[in-house]
Amino acid sequence: MRAEPPPLAADPTALSRLLGTTLDALRDGARTRGGPLPAGGPEAVARRVREALGEPLPETGHGADEALRTLVRVLAEGAADPAHPLCAAHLHTPPLALAAAADLAASALNPSMDSWDQAPAASAIEDRVTAALAAEVFPDAPRPDALVTTGGTESNQLALLLARERQGRQGRAVRTVVGANAHHSFQRAAWLLGLPEPVVVPTPRGTLDPAAVREALAALSGPVLVVATAGTTDEGLIDPIPALADLCADYRADDRTDNRADLPEYRHADLHVDAAYGGPLLFSRTHRPLLDGLARARTVTVDLHKLGWQPAAAGLLAVRDAADLAVLGHTAAYLNADDDTEAGLPDLLGRSLRTTRRPDVLKTAVTLRALGRAGLGELVDACMDRAQELADLVEKAPGLDLRARPTLTTVLFRPNGPGVTDGTVAAVRRTLLAEGRAVLGRAEADGRLWLKATLLNPHATSGDLAQLITLVEGSTHR
Ligand SMILES: Cc1ncc(COP(=O)(O)O)c(C=O)c1O
């Protein structure tokens, strides 16, 4: 006789029991780890995983409880845990409990956002929530919209694709102008889309200098996409968005030509802002002005799995004019046949280049409703305050140098003193990683290597920050 198939996620009793096992395993693993990441480096972690995993595809299964207990435990034991206040290397957020709980509901029901008949309520939620977020980015635009993406990389790629389709008619390739401070995804997007390599404008002071961008534009003709960053990956800096929007507006051929796209002297520039990191400042009454000019962009990338406390993936590409998205329209008879669309079934396929697509918007919808703008703004403010506090501590520590007062939540610092080199900085970081005591990032600025703390944990305390300083000082002169 055949065994019963395992219970489905739709069975609340089974799910709830397995959740108990999962949560116990998460707790056990974290307790054994005892810090922000496992001690012993890659070999120790790989050995524990090898031992726990055994044969990844056994002939006979171990059963749900054992598999969850073993593998969730080893995952948690070997995690770089973004919820630990000394884990502060990357834009790697500690997710909110309520968002993770919402994500469980998304996994259990498994709506797929490629057709209405797989996601009736999920698609209506996405419609409402993306409209609200698009209006947050473009408050005065008559028809803003936003697509849900897997993150900044996909959003930036889509922004370039939309620019290519919008501007690149007449066989003119769109040139992208980016700062040296921009995210690497623009180079890959240009490569993927068959566009010329981006023109890279040096950013010796960390942000784009409008005069340098003006010079780069003067050497170009044809359609251009200028990229500004609101929250650079390395330093958390914000490019001068209003000045760059002015430059784009000025970049036009002589009016006598009517600036026709078929003429060689045709010039047109749009602005894309990569606000993957800084975008959520929009929720903060105090810090929102740092994003002045954002609404003058044509497209804006925002990630809520960075300064928005969502489990990945929670990316958005906001567009000032929904009409720009029409080029993504696509028909597949089994998903959005014309007669179904004419009969009123929403056509979702053109809202992504993916087909099967998780309802990633659910956790965001739950978060927005649970916390409101004010609650999210307070979380942003708390992290911004922590960064200022860490900068104060660095300034007071005689053995450390601060690169600059932080703009967002990134703090760059390094040990100083005779004999301290970039090699010392790199070694401090690796020592803390190997000992499992702190997770700090690295960034090059000013021709030197710096330790990078990216503070995204609103629960981090002053004591945690002081401990971070003590750990770096203690690892410097060993
Ligand atoms: C400014 C910026 N843009 C885009 C990205 C890419 O985002 P994702 O990793 O979500 O694709 C990052 C990642 O850190 C980033 O810092």
Side-chain angles (χ1 to χ4, degrees):
M1 210 176 63
R2 282 204 186 174
E4 271 285 296
L8 300 177
D11 173 345
T13 313
L15 183 59
S16 157
R17 201 177 54 70
L18 292 176
L19 265 182
T21 307
T22 305
L23 294 176
D24 286 348
L26 275 176
R27 219 175 354 250
D28 279 358
R31 197 177 301 126
T32 312
R33 174 176 15 94
L37 85 164
E43 186 39 50
V45 175
R47 181 173 32 78
R48 276 196 299 275
V49 168
R50 253 191 329 267
E51 285 166 9
L53 197 54
E55 177 54 63
L57 178 58
E59 192 52 38
T60 309
H62 295 262
D65 278 299
E66 194 280 344
L68 278 168
R69 216 174 22 246
T70 305
L71 292 187
V72 173
R73 192 179 183 291
V74 82
L75 177 80
E77 186 182 342
D81 182 358
H84 193 291
L86 300 184
C87 184
H90 298 285
L91 288 159
H92 175 202
T93 210
L96 296 172
L98 63 94
D103 224 11
L104 174 71
S107 287
L109 272 169
N110 206 24
S112 182
M113 309 299 289
D114 46 326
S115 65
W116 187 84
D117 56 3
Q118 300 174 84
S123 57
I125 293 173
E126 182 174 287
D127 186 52
R128 299 279 297 163
V129 172
T130 50
L133 290 169
E136 198 70 14
V137 176
F138 295 109
D140 301 321
R143 242 164 62 88
D145 201 351
L147 299 179
V148 174
T149 70
T150 51
T153 301
E154 186 188 344
S155 297
N156 290 339
Q157 216 170 73
L158 281 170
L160 254 69
L161 172 66
L162 297 183
R164 186 190 76 180
E165 295 302 301
R166 202 169 52 230
Q167 303 187 30
R169 301 281 156 76
Q170 272 82 30
R172 313 279 301 255
V174 174
R175 296 305 301 260
T176 313
V177 175
V178 302
N181 61 356
H183 192 254
H184 63 82
S185 48
F186 293 102
Q187 272 78 4
R188 289 180 125 185
W191 166 74
L192 183 71
L193 294 167
L195 294 172
E197 273 186 30
V199 175
V200 180
V201 177
T203 50
R205 282 201 283 274
T207 53
L208 275 170
D209 171 5
V213 177
R214 185 182 291 282
E215 221 170 277
L217 285 174
L220 297 174
S221 64
V224 174
L225 185 71
V226 174
V227 172
T229 307
T232 58
T233 314
D234 278 350
E235 299 192 67
L237 300 175
I238 300 177
D239 284 330
I241 301 170
L244 295 169
D246 287 344
L247 281 181
C248 289
D250 290 349
Y251 178 77
R252 298 206 137 256
D254 191 315
D255 279 348
R256 280 169 303 173
T257 66
D258 286 338
N259 201 25
R260 279 176 25 214
D262 54 334
L263 296 178
E265 56 270 45
Y266 169 75
R267 293 161 144 244
H268 179 94
D270 280 332
L271 178 66
H272 169 68
V273 180
D274 179 358
Y277 176 11
L281 260 61
L282 288 170
F283 302 126
S284 160
R285 206 187 274 263
T286 315
H287 299 294
R288 189 182 170 110
L290 286 171
L291 297 180
D292 277 355
L294 189 68
R296 295 177 64 193
R298 186 90 186 210
T299 45
V300 175
T301 290
V302 178
D303 270 356
L304 295 173
H305 59 230
K306 296 184 168 55
L307 203 53
W309 304 282
Q310 301 300 298
L316 287 172
L317 177 72
V319 299
R320 194 169 64 209
D321 184 352
D324 283 358
L325 300 179
V327 293
L328 299 178
H330 184 71
T331 307
Y334 74 109
L335 293 173
N336 60 351
D338 288 346
D339 58 315
D340 272 353
T341 305
E342 277 155 27
L345 293 186
D347 171 2
L348 308 180
L349 202 55
R351 298 195 59 81
S352 178
L353 292 180
R354 290 175 276 159
T355 306
T356 298
R357 182 159 70 85
R358 279 172 58 80
D360 282 323
V361 76
L362 178 69
K363 60 200 169 203
T364 300
V366 169
T367 304
L368 299 183
R369 183 176 174 88
L371 303 183
R373 185 184 290 109
L376 276 164
E378 277 170 25
L379 294 182
V380 169
D381 293 352
C383 293
M384 296 284 275
D385 290 350
R386 286 294 90 81
Q388 295 300 328
E389 204 178 325
L390 181 62
D392 290 344
L393 291 176
V394 172
E395 280 183 333
K396 283 189 200 129
L400 298 176
D401 284 343
L402 180 69
R403 155 92 171 132
R405 296 299 306 181
T407 301
L408 293 185
T409 69
T410 302
V411 183
L412 298 193
F413 60 106
R414 57 178 266 151
N416 60 27
V420 170
T421 61
D422 283 358
T424 318
V425 176
V428 166
R429 175 174 167 275
R430 278 194 297 269
T431 300
L432 293 172
L433 286 178
E435 293 174 353
R437 304 220 278 170
V439 192
L440 287 170
R442 53 186 286 162
E444 278 172 32
D446 212 5
R448 290 185 292 167
L449 188 64
W450 297 80
L451 295 169
K452 174 172 82 163
T454 312
L455 302 178
L456 297 181
N457 188 338
H459 290 276
T461 64
S462 304
D464 296 324
L465 302 180
Q467 198 186 346
L468 199 55
I469 298 290
T470 307
L471 284 170
V472 169
E473 288 175 328
S475 313
T476 300
H477 296 293
R478 287 221 210 133

